[in-house]
């Protein structure tokens, strides 16, 4: 394992779309191991509308293991892995040059399609028009490990928090524009003064970003989070006002109900997978008529990354989602799976700006050399990391 701080990187940007010796991580299916493959690639044949990135760091996400462990054992196609990356552009096709991409730029992002293309490679050749989740960053301000760590986890956190915020603002503006301007103006003010969020899983990487975005862009006054005791310090350092240990269900219930005499939630954001709160949801959440919302990105129970996707896990939250849409459930419920590009095109620029100005921290749990990928995936599968697990692909000096 490497130290989580990176030294200066030694990369030549005089490379070009030529013959490259490339190493990449691949696997066949859920029963086979991930391995490092050597290949010779001639990128010049792909040139015109592509850019070539020398990958410096990538980060691992549970989805990488979930996808791998969902590929049936009879599948014999070699598949790539990972979707988050940070690196340096080493060549640019003409079309992309005209669009402003330059050799030497530091870029980071995540792939929309990580099933047929993965970022666990030394050289990544992409068309930014087809893989638009890419942004440049200042490597003097943001470490490559951090730059590789934020895209996937922050896209989902941004979509949930910013989506909630935008909807609230719209409703408040509508009210202010309406006939009852005077009285509703007061109501809008009271909403602003008492806006609270509960993040289930404050020590997940998504949860850590959510805690910070809740204060930065969500304008939440109180951020309460549920996590194990080991995560309390980190969650508090990122802005959580209260941390609640969540392993003992009875104690958790008592604590959440105790807190609810002061704090009732506008938004509950589940980053772990939990259904226990529905038994007493009306005691801790504001009424659904106020626009309060419960959003899960996992479902009713924790994922088992070794088992891959389980369709039956979608049934119970799916039924609740339909019930909520039809108005039959006591909460506004949403089950969000981020597929494709987030609808808010500003997320990349907004989030990188928050990172560059130090307003958003991306905790790094551990950094492994590219060759130590197995240890890194083992750590990911244990679900114990407090922050992003990074694979350092490029050499350092
Ligand atoms: N729907 C989507 O589009 C979407 C997008 C991104 C991620 N996700 C999902 O969101 C969840 C969190 O992702 P992440 O990258 O933030 O995770 P992560 O950084 O790997 O989270 C690690 C932390 O999660 C807690 N944890 C323990 N077992 C867990 C389990 N089985 N599932 C989830 N968390 C567990 C532990 O904290 P404590 O010690 O406090 O328990 C651990 O320190 C994952 O299930 C992931 O698949 C969904």
């Amino acid at each position: 394992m490497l130290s989580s701080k990176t030294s200066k990187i030694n990369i030549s940007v005089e490379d070009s779309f030529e013959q490259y010796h490339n190493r990449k991580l691949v696997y066949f299916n859920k029963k086979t191991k991930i391995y490092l493959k050597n290949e010779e690639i001639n990128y010049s044949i792909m040139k015109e509308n592509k850019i070539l990135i020398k990958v410096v760091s990538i980060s691992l996400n549970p989805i990488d293991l979930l996808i791998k462990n969902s590929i049936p054992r009879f599948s014999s196609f070699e598949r790539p892995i990972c979707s988050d990356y940070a690196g340096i552009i080493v060549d640019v096709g003409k079309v992309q040059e005209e669009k402003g991409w330059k050799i030497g730029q530091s870029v980071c992002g995540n792939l929309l399609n990580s099933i047929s293309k993965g970022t666990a490679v030394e050289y990544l050749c992409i068309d930014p028009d087809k893989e638009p989740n890419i942004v440049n960053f200042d490597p003097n301000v943001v470490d490559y490990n951090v730059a590789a760590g934020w895209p996937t986890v922050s896209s989902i956190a941004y979509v949930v928090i910013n989506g909630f915020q935008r909807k609230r603002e719209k409703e408040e503006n509508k009210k202010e524009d309406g006939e009852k301007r005077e009285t509703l103006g007061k109501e809008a003010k009271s909403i602003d003064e008492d806006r609270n969020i509960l993040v289930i899983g404050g020590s997940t990487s998504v949860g850590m970003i959510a805690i910070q975005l809740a204060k930065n862009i969500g304008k939440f006054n109180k951020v309460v989070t549920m996590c194990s005791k080991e995560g309390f310090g980190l969650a508090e350092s990122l802005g959580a006002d209260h941390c609640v240990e969540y392993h003992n269900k009875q104690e958790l219930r008592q604590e959440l109900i105790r807190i609810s005499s002061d704090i009732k939630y506008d938004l509950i954001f589940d980053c772990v997978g939990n259904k226990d709160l529905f038994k007493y949801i009306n005691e801790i959440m504001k009424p659904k008529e106020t626009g309060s919302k419960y959003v899960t990105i996992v479902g009713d129970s924790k994922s088992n990354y070794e088992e891959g996707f389980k369709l039956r896990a979608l049934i119970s939250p799916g039924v609740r989602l339909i019930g909520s849409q039809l108005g039959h459930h006591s909460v506004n419920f949403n089950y969000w799976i981020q597929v494709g590009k987030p609808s808010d095109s500003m997320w990349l620029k907004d989030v990188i700006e928050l990172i560059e100005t130090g307003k958003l921290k991306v905790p790094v749990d551990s950094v492994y050399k590219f060759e130590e990928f197995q240890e890194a995936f083992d750590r990911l599968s244990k679900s114990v990391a407090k922050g992003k697990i990074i694979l350092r692909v490029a050499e350092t000096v």
Side-chain angles (χ1 to χ4, degrees):
M1 213 200 297
L2 297 166
S3 126
S4 59
K5 259 284 155 271
T6 353
S7 45
K8 211 170 175 229
I9 55 155
N10 180 23
I11 283 176
S12 157
V13 290
E14 284 152 25
D15 301 342
S16 63
F17 275 105
E18 299 284 324
Q19 191 78 14
Y20 277 90
H21 179 75
N22 194 25
R23 291 189 306 162
K24 64 193 223 183
L25 294 182
V26 289
Y27 64 92
F28 288 102
N29 59 53
K30 62 179 177 188
K31 288 289 169 198
T32 64
K33 290 201 158 187
I34 300 166
Y35 64 97
L36 199 51
K37 182 187 176 183
N38 288 296
E39 65 180 8
E40 298 298 322
I41 288 210
N42 188 341
Y43 287 107
S44 57
I45 49 170
M46 321 177 176
K47 196 163 177 169
E48 282 310 298
N49 49 8
K50 306 245 170 148
I51 61 172
L52 187 64
I53 300 163
K54 171 128 178 135
V55 175
V56 177
S57 300
I58 62 169
S59 76
L60 310 190
N61 286 288
I63 186 79
D64 305 327
L65 279 183
L66 282 168
I67 293 175
K68 177 189 182 289
N69 293 328
S70 302
I71 305 291
R73 65 178 74 194
F74 53 77
S75 173
S76 54
F77 291 113
E78 208 168 54
R79 291 165 199 278
I81 194 161
C82 295
S83 65
D84 283 338
Y85 65 91
I88 299 179
I89 298 181
V90 289
D91 207 352
V92 184
K94 232 193 178 103
V95 174
Q96 296 304 338
E97 204 171 2
E98 281 159 15
K99 292 183 179 175
W101 295 107
K102 290 187 197 77
I103 291 179
Q105 267 178 340
S106 298
V107 288
C108 58
N110 65 350
L111 301 181
L112 296 182
N113 178 1
S114 64
I115 295 184
S116 59
K117 196 185 243 326
T119 57
V121 291
E122 288 180 317
Y123 290 95
L124 180 65
C125 186
I126 56 165
D127 176 349
D129 298 326
K130 294 196 178 129
E131 287 294 352
N133 287 348
I134 175 170
V135 69
N136 50 307
F137 68 95
D138 182 351
N140 297 314
V141 179
V142 181
D143 191 277
Y144 282 90
N145 296 340
V146 167
W150 66 272
T152 293
V153 289
S154 72
S155 72
I156 186 84
Y158 185 95
V159 164
V160 172
I161 307 258
N162 194 51
F164 183 84
Q165 171 68 12
R166 291 284 153 270
K167 194 155 182 260
R168 268 287 158 95
E169 279 171 6
K170 237 185 197 169
E171 281 161 9
E172 283 164 15
N173 289 342
K174 230 195 270 170
K175 281 181 192 170
E176 280 177 8
D177 288 346
E179 296 162 11
K180 298 176 190 164
R181 179 184 299 247
E182 213 176 304
T183 37
L184 290 174
K186 281 180 204 150
E187 271 176 36
K189 190 166 174 247
S190 70
I191 288 170
D192 257 350
E193 281 166 3
D194 176 32
R195 185 176 294 186
N196 308 311
I197 181 172
L198 172 64
V199 176
I200 303 177
S203 47
T204 63
S205 303
V206 179
M208 291 186 216
I209 301 289
I211 289 170
Q212 300 173 79
L213 291 182
K215 294 244 161 132
N216 274 320
I217 59 171
K219 300 192 184 149
F220 288 93
N221 301 94
K222 286 277 186 291
V223 178
V224 179
T225 190
M226 288 160 49
C227 54
S228 61
K229 283 220 164 77
E230 301 85 72
F232 279 20
L234 191 50
E236 280 163 1
S237 74
L238 299 173
D241 298 291
H242 294 280
C243 295
V244 187
E245 155 67 39
Y246 65 4
H247 288 105
N248 182 321
K249 289 182 187 179
Q250 198 46 41
E251 284 175 17
L252 168 70
R253 180 178 183 145
Q254 283 166 2
E255 184 61 2
L256 285 180
I257 292 177
R258 188 190 66 75
I259 293 174
S260 72
S261 60
D262 276 342
I263 302 170
K264 285 206 165 48
Y265 305 108
D266 298 82
L267 178 61
I268 296 184
F269 183 9
D270 178 11
C271 310
V272 173
N274 186 307
K275 66 173 186 322
D276 300 332
L277 273 51
F278 290 110
K279 294 173 196 144
Y280 48 97
I281 197 81
N282 294 325
E283 292 177 69
I284 61 172
M285 211 168 176
K286 289 187 185 165
K288 71 173 183 179
E289 293 72 26
T290 63
S292 62
K293 205 168 181 181
Y294 187 114
V295 181
T296 182
I297 58 165
V298 182
D300 278 7
S301 54
K302 285 182 175 182
S303 300
N304 180 338
Y305 307 146
E306 294 302 318
E307 284 184 358
F309 291 109
K310 289 277 168 269
L311 277 177
R312 65 172 181 272
L314 297 177
I315 297 172
S316 159
V319 169
R320 192 178 307 111
L321 178 62
I322 294 167
S324 165
Q325 301 277 323
L326 296 173
H328 300 327
H329 203 276
S330 58
V331 291
N332 296 311
F333 175 75
N334 204 344
Y335 185 2
W336 195 275
I337 298 177
Q338 185 58 49
V339 186
K341 190 172 180 256
S343 50
D344 191 329
S345 58
M346 288 307 289
W347 78 275
L348 274 169
K349 291 225 153 37
D350 278 1
V351 178
I352 195 70
E353 196 182 310
L354 288 171
I355 295 173
E356 285 186 334
T357 52
K359 291 181 185 144
L360 187 76
K361 304 262 179 286
V362 183
V364 170
D365 171 81
S366 41
V367 184
Y368 293 86
K369 289 185 198 161
F370 200 21
E371 300 76 16
E372 295 172 333
F373 63 90
Q374 195 52 58
E375 280 172 56
F377 279 105
D378 287 347
R379 183 156 178 82
L380 179 72
S381 70
K382 287 185 197 137
S383 278
V384 289
K386 300 282 175 276
K388 295 302 297 178
I389 299 171
I390 305 292
L391 276 185
R392 185 77 180 178
V393 178
E395 295 298 322
T396 58
V397 287

